[in-house]
């Protein structure tokens, strides 16, 4: 696990974009990018858009896979993750909207949602897997919508949102009761199969979750701790989000690379 601690959210966006692009460069053929929602990766997506506009990055042949989707939002709801990713990624980076995959959370029956979850796993497999998965982290340590208690081997499935998550996400909705109670989310086992993970976090509200994920035990109680199990996880955080880390000095030294003075 590489941990990069940088001064501010702008630097997080730039360093995370560099980590995403380095991961995509290793891909065989057309790249597959896993996309998180939430506010944390927005700066990273703007940076990818800037690089695409200046011609340094070409995502016009890329495929995107959302990490998760709410269940039960009316189709076209501005806060559905499909809409968010069309707006924040496809419209600005050149990733074609028709190559954006999002779990289908429109069904109301459990059977149909379970079918949609299995179909999503098939779509990821058919695309050859995810080259780079962008991740944020919930204040309770969730990854995607894998709430505390999620199986470390879980696949895409229906999950109930934790009350804390519904409260945290209420800022995106008109009324707190409008936040859906359920979602479809890639499982932790699904996420672990991506060839590179790039997690971004900023601000002191994430410091405890970041410390638990990076330095606590590998446990379903902190779903983001599965990063410790992944062979190529890059964590890019600002000073505020790094405040709870005990091995800070080591991360900073390791980030200097093999030839710090050369
Ligand atoms: C959301 C998403 C996660 C995201 C997290 C943090 O609900 N499902 O993928 O990482 O919560 O969100 P934010 O970045 O807005 O703090």
């Amino acid at each position: 696990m590489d941990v990069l601690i940088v001064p501010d959210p702008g630097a997080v966006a730039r360093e995370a974009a560099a980590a995403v692009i380095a991961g995509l460069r290793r891909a065989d053929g057309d790249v597959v990018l896993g996309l998180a929602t939430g506010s944390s990766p927005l700066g990273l997506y703007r940076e990818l858009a800037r690089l695409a506009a200046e011609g340094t990055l070409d995502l016009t042949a890329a495929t995107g896979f959302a990490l998760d989707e709410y269940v039960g939002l009316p189709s076209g709801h501005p806060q559905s993750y499909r809409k968010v990713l069309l707006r924040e990624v496809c419209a600005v980076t050149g990733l074609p909207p028709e190559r954006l995959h999002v779990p289908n959370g429109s069904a109301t029956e459990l059977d149909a949602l379970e079918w949609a979850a299995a179909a999503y796993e098939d779509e990821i497999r058919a695309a050859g897997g995810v080259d780079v998965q962008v991740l944020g982290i919930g204040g309770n340590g969730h990854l995607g919508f894998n709430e505390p208690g999620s199986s470390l081997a879980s696949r895409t499935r229906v999950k109930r949102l934790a009350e804390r998550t519904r409260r945290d996400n209420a800022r995106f909705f008109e009324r707190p009761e409008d936040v859906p109670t359920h979602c479809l989310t890639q499982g932790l086992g699904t996420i672990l199969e991506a060839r590179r993970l790039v997690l971004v976090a900023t601000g002191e509200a994430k410091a405890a979750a970041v410390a638990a994920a990076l330095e606590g035990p590998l446990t379903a109680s902190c779903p983001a701790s599965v990063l410790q199990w992944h062979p190529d996880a890059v964590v890019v955080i600002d000073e505020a989000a790094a405040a709870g880390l005990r091995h800070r000095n080591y991360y900073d030294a390791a980030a200097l690379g093999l030839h710090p003075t050369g």
Side-chain angles (χ1 to χ4, degrees), residues 37-40 67-68 81 136-138 142 144-145 165 169 171 206:
T37 48
S39 43
S40 305
L67 202 49
D68 45 17
Y81 285 165
I137 182 171
H142 76 214
F145 273 135
T165 301
N169 287 7
R171 67 190 192 281
K206 296 292 170 69

Side-chain angles (χ1 to χ4, degrees), residues 22-206:
L24 294 180
R25 281 213 186 98
R26 295 200 302 242
D28 281 337
D30 292 340
V31 301
V32 180
L33 186 57
L35 298 160
T37 48
S39 43
S40 305
L42 292 178
L44 158 62
Y45 296 151
R46 272 181 228 119
E47 181 63 12
L48 294 180
R50 191 185 68 75
L51 295 169
E54 97 186 359
T56 329
L57 172 70
D58 182 4
L59 290 179
T60 56
T63 297
F65 279 94
L67 202 49
D68 45 17
E69 178 58 292
Y70 289 116
V71 163
L73 285 185
S75 122
H77 189 289
Q79 291 309 326
S80 76
Y81 285 165
R82 172 172 289 283
K83 278 284 177 191
V84 169
L85 291 173
L86 285 171
R87 208 164 52 228
E88 303 291 348
V89 177
C90 295
V92 293
T93 65
L95 192 146
E98 64 278 11
R99 297 183 73 140
L100 173 69
H101 299 249
V102 183
N104 183 354
S106 65
T108 47
E109 299 299 320
L110 186 58
D111 277 2
L113 289 166
E114 283 173 349
W115 188 89
Y120 199 62
E121 289 277 332
D122 290 343
E123 287 172 37
I124 295 174
R125 219 171 292 121
V130 172
D131 291 305
V132 179
Q133 175 64 57
V134 174
L135 296 166
I137 182 171
N140 63 357
H142 76 214
L143 213 53
F145 273 135
N146 292 282
E147 301 287 15
S150 291
S151 159
L152 303 181
S154 49
R155 312 302 307 186
T156 304
R157 69 214 184 287
V158 183
K159 281 296 277 184
R160 187 179 176 95
L161 302 189
E163 277 317 300
R164 170 160 184 194
T165 301
R166 295 189 68 228
R167 272 200 309 279
D168 286 351
N169 287 7
R171 67 190 192 281
F172 296 115
F173 291 81
E174 254 170 54
R175 299 170 310 170
E177 57 270 33
D178 294 341
V179 183
T181 55
H182 288 78
C183 66
L184 283 173
T185 182
Q186 282 190 36
L188 295 172
T190 318
I191 293 168
L192 282 173
E193 283 173 8
R195 288 179 272 279
R196 165 169 274 203
L197 305 180
V198 177
L199 182 136
V200 287
T202 57
E204 60 184 348
K206 296 292 170 69

